Amino acid sequence: MDATTWLPLAVVLSSMVPGVLIFTLGEEQRVWRTVLNLTGAVLKLVFIAVMLYGVYQGGVYETRIALIPGFDLVLDGSALPMFFVTLSGVLWLITTVYAIGYLDLEKSWHRSRFFGYFSICVSATTGVALSGNFFTLIIFYELLTLATYPLVVHAGTKKAMTAGKMYLGYTLVGGALLLVAAVWLHALVGPFDFQEGGVLAEFDEEHRTLFVVIFVMMVMGFGVKAALVPFHSWLPVAMVAPAPVSALLHAVAVVKAGAYGIVRIIYDVYGVVYVAELGLGLLLAGAAAVTIIYGSLQALAQDGLKRRLAFSTVSQVSYIMLGVGLIGPVAAVGGIVHLVHQGLMKITLFFCAGNIAETLGLHRISQMGGIAGRMPWTMAAFTVASLAMIGVPPLAGFVSKWYLAMGAVEVEQYWVLVILAGSTVLNAAYFLPIVYTAYFGRAIRPWPQDESSGRLETRPTLLWPTLTTALLVVLAGVFAGSLFSPVEWVEIVIVRIHPGW
């Protein structure tokens, strides 16, 4: 077995093995737990970097394990999977550092349980990213559901348990719908691997109507995790989870896995040409547009900081579906690159929310008057990410919206420009008041100083990950046209998928 066959599996196991080992550690074994976490995260990035270089040079990476006749577990390291798995690997390392500092502030125990499931959650996410067929995808997709449930209910409170039940109920129903659709498709066309350009068009004459029904079922199944309206209700409720979990749910794992699943359906199962022939792309784009506006309107009404960010995620993740649903190469660049851009922006915002909650005990926007004077670096990071979400150039969010707008013009879907403009105004309406309150609002009480770190506004393990992701938000926008930028990699993907581009 050479590197091209074992590296995809190594990417998944680099977090799975440390996660299993962490379960065996006692609560007091903090050093070993930290070593296992960071070793796994660094190894994963090394494996990913080797694969990225190889794919860029034209290499092919695939792990194939025959489990039962007709069903192979396939991990595929082609360009699109590597894009998502790179996001997962980079943000897992940063979130791990943040979580180590965050859990040290928590009074509750169960840290080994938390980090064990935390690592398995990332393993499941990378498994989803690298899945080479539906059989593999469903295995890791359901593992992701089961691994994130203990993280959502980590606090053990009544509120947390209620949120966990709601999360599990939604995601299991979505997973069941996806399983039925996948089995139905398998019964119609037999086993197949994901393939750039899709595989179903050749069966068009016999199964066209059924393929439309199956597509809708799959979008609904993935749409639960992607928080498409009306399947979004679990996401704001799940914000009872610790800040590192919220960051993971919104930026790396669950929500992105749902959006990514829809991308794989369009590009590697149906194919963009066939999706356009069936008229399914605009159906998806319409659902995404409704979600974008609805999520933003709901965000406006929230005083809880994490709930406002949660409804922002409902809105922002649908940019991905909007871009791929327009079935144009330029819009697709904007949609797919938003997988990374939204992840960087949203993880920064949730890190900031965690810093504020753990340092000052504040959870509501109305309590944040003058907070920038006490936590200037955290609020600087929050401001950068907020402006990026609004779409202020030259930050990452502007790049996504620019490609979406140009893509809408390319395919003559001008109504999308109205959606983007309205969404941008709403983004500003729910982010700018937070920034204004933090800098110019009146403090409701004197802010306590952080005795553990002198004049530093919070623990370094909480502050430095926040500043790192904020810097990445800036760099992803400023250097969007540079070699190896997210945009440049997505263009490599799109050239292979969209004929004649």
Side-chain angles (χ1 to χ4, degrees), residues 214-449:
I214 290 171
F215 181 90
V216 172
M217 291 175 64
M218 287 183 173
V219 167
M220 291 172 64
F222 284 120
V224 172
K225 280 192 170 76
L228 273 173
V229 170
F231 313 115
H232 67 287
S233 299
W234 65 270
L235 187 58
V237 176
M239 292 306 93
V240 69
V245 178
S246 298
L248 197 70
L249 289 175
H250 288 255
V252 186
V254 175
V255 178
K256 288 298 176 56
Y260 176 76
I262 294 173
V263 172
R264 294 302 296 269
I265 292 172
I266 292 176
Y267 289 151
D268 296 341
V269 178
Y270 282 75
V272 290
V273 174
Y274 191 42
V275 168
E277 288 179 6
L278 296 176
L280 297 172
L282 286 180
L283 180 66
L284 175 62
V290 170
T291 303
I292 288 169
I293 300 301
Y294 176 84
S296 294
L297 290 172
Q298 288 296 313
L300 277 172
Q302 309 304 316
D303 186 41
L305 180 56
K306 286 178 69 176
R307 280 186 63 86
R308 183 170 293 195
L309 296 180
F311 277 109
S312 170
T313 296
V314 172
S315 174
Q316 288 277 333
V317 168
S318 280
Y319 285 138
I320 301 167
M321 278 78 81
L322 178 64
V324 298
L326 291 177
I327 314 297
V330 177
V333 172
I336 297 177
V337 81
H338 203 60
L339 275 166
V340 167
H341 290 172
Q342 190 272 347
L344 296 174
M345 295 182 291
K346 190 48 63 78
I347 203 169
T348 302
L349 292 168
F350 272 107
F351 282 171
C352 292
N355 292 357
I356 294 167
E358 290 304 312
T359 304
L360 301 177
L362 303 182
H363 302 275
R364 295 189 174 276
I365 297 164
S366 56
Q367 300 171 329
M368 292 173 58
I371 194 177
R374 170 63 178 82
M375 304 186 72
W377 288 106
T378 292
M379 281 313 304
F382 189 95
T383 302
V384 167
S386 296
L387 294 177
M389 282 286 191
I390 294 168
V392 174
L395 303 174
F398 168 77
V399 176
S400 298
K401 290 185 177 183
W402 177 265
Y403 274 94
L404 287 170
M406 293 300 99
V409 172
E410 177 193 37
V411 296
E412 300 181 349
Q413 297 295 331
Y414 300 106
W415 61 272
V416 174
L417 300 180
V418 177
I419 298 297
L420 292 173
S423 173
T424 297
V425 171
L426 290 170
N427 294 159
Y430 64 74
F431 275 121
L432 291 183
I434 304 174
V435 175
Y436 179 86
T437 299
Y439 281 95
F440 304 107
R442 182 177 178 180
I444 58 175
R445 55 185 169 83
W447 303 123
Q449 296 301 310

Side-chain angles (χ1 to χ4, degrees), residues 106-119:
E106 291 288 299
K107 295 180 181 179
S108 62
W109 288 83
H110 308 303
R111 291 179 179 85
S112 291
R113 184 185 71 187
F114 176 92
F115 282 108
Y117 283 114
F118 196 75
S119 296

